[in-house]
């Protein structure tokens, strides 16, 4: 897979995707369902966390294709609550996540 401008990737092909999800995404089980989706995709480590401004932050590290699948799920509307928009950035993985957690 070619690397696009602005994308960072480890030598093993893993990436870090950080997404901020806007909408009615707190108090509806969104983080729990995000964790379940990440686990069902497999190979992802990171977390989902409520932010003070009402957004949910999702950090996922793993294979680019797996991260893209999680991002597509965040955007497709098949989530609890209501997603009004998702903004993401791609970076080099930092590691340190034993699994995919809810924070």
């Amino acid at each position: 897979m070619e690397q696009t401008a602005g994308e960072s990737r480890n030598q093993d092909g893993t990436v870090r995707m950080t997404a901020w999800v806007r909408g009615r995404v707190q108090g509806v089980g969104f983080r729990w369902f995000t964790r379940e989706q990440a686990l069902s995709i497999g190979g992802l480590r990171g977390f989902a966390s409520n932010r003070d401004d009402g957004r949910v932050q999702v950090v996922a590290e793993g294979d680019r294709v797996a991260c893209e699948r999680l991002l597509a799920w965040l955007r497709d509307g098949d989530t609890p609550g209501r997603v009004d928009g998702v903004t993401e950035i791609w970076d080099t993985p930092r590691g340190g996540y034993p699994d995919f957690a809810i924070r």
Side-chain angles (χ1 to χ4, degrees), residues 31 60 71 91:
R31 293 176 300 154
L71 182 61
D91 202 353

Side-chain angles (χ1 to χ4, degrees), residues 14-98:
T14 60
V15 296
R16 175 186 179 99
M17 185 269 304
T18 303
W20 292 271
V21 185
R22 300 179 309 281
R24 191 171 64 85
V25 292
Q26 290 190 12
V28 294
F30 191 89
R31 293 176 300 154
W32 187 87
F33 278 95
T34 300
R35 179 180 183 274
E36 290 301 304
Q37 186 67 24
L39 294 174
S40 80
I41 290 170
L44 293 176
R45 296 172 185 262
F47 63 88
S49 174
N50 285 340
R51 309 304 297 168
D52 290 340
D53 62 5
R55 296 179 298 169
V56 169
Q57 179 184 22
V58 178
V59 174
E61 293 187 355
D63 180 73
R64 171 80 187 208
V65 172
C67 287
E68 287 174 346
R69 285 184 59 198
L70 182 61
L71 182 61
W73 179 82
L74 292 170
R75 287 187 164 139
D76 79 0
D78 187 24
T79 61
R82 183 191 75 248
V83 173
D84 293 335
V86 179
T87 304
E88 91 279 353
I89 60 170
W90 297 88
D91 202 353
T92 303
R94 299 178 192 163
Y97 305 113

